[in-house]
Amino acid sequence: LDKARAAASWSRHFHPQKRATGVVPDEAVFEAKAGPDTVYLSAADRWGNACSFINSNYMGFGTCIVPDGCGFTLQNRGNNFIVRAGHPNCVGPRKFCYHTIIPGLVTEENTGELFCTLGVMGGFMQPQGHLQVLTALCDYGLDPQEALDQPRFCLQGVDSALGSESVEQAALLLEEGVPAEVRSELQRLGHPCVEVSSWSREVFGRGQVICRDTVSGVLCGGTEPRADGSVLAW
């Protein structure tokens, strides 16, 4: 993006003294309530341009630092650094900590054209969820909604402090719907499995997907059945 053009557009459309004018409180819209959780959204157009976006303050109000003249707090993902000399995630200069703000955008290998945008929120379930949803799309040929509807698994206890050490004795959480014979075989192989059902399934994350057919340009979306997302077209 051209910085001069962006600055000119900003000056035309953003007026600090008016930024709160006309803002409708969340609860005034269909009695919706603001929540503290991470939000994922994506958008794509007919030309194959797309945006995959995850927003999260982390730990409620983030850092509790509000930039001068702005109405939001800065995020607190620096909390995911650890203090252990020699560890890849040890705090240090010019480093980004390991964290889970990882919105996904996938392109076709041969042409570079858009294949899909995807995001599966849910803390350290995110990389696990991305892998499972993307595998369903690419390896099994499911459409976005089918890919999101599939039962998921989650290694319990993954965090940034210990990395791979955090899952050495982890339980393998299996969502209801995973066949009993699959669970039995996993247990036979040494995985301590726990079935998760009902509201507790939130541990498996919340995802959204938009896929694009590179031949026709048709867009196809899917939304998370475990949460209150939606697919909108215009």
Side-chain angles (χ1 to χ4, degrees), residues 7 10-11 15 20 50 52 67 77 90 96 98 101 103 110 120 123 143 172 177 189 194 205 212:
W10 177 268
S11 64
H15 305 283
S52 183
R77 289 288 166 170
C90 183
F96 291 101
Y98 171 68
I101 301 301
N110 297 328
V120 181
D143 66 42
L172 180 61
L189 293 171
V194 177
R212 181 176 185 269

Side-chain angles (χ1 to χ4, degrees), residues 16-106:
Q17 69 276 15
K18 296 182 179 179
R19 64 182 182 270
T21 302
V23 173
V24 180
D26 289 324
E27 62 269 17
V29 182
F30 303 113
E31 300 182 352
K33 300 294 184 181
D37 293 333
T38 306
V39 172
Y40 174 81
L41 63 89
S42 64
D45 64 22
R46 71 183 71 178
W47 300 283
N49 301 304
C51 174
S52 183
F53 178 85
I54 288 182
N55 179 67
S56 174
N57 273 339
Y58 198 57
M59 302 177 69
F61 282 97
T63 60
C64 297
I65 298 172
V66 179
D68 187 33
C70 300
F72 57 85
T73 59
L74 297 178
Q75 54 88 17
N76 195 31
R77 289 288 166 170
N79 180 75
N80 291 136
F81 274 123
I82 68 169
V83 182
R84 181 196 286 184
H87 192 282
N89 202 40
C90 183
V91 64
R94 299 184 178 183
K95 290 183 67 176
F96 291 101
C97 62
Y98 171 68
H99 64 74
T100 59
I101 301 301
I102 48 174
L105 190 151
V106 184

Side-chain angles (χ1 to χ4, degrees), residues 54 118-122 125-126 129-130 133 148 152 204-207:
I54 288 182
L118 78 159
V120 181
M121 307 170 292
M125 172 63 193
Q126 283 193 46
H130 282 196
V133 171
L148 290 167
R152 296 178 191 154
F204 298 108
R206 287 86 60 199

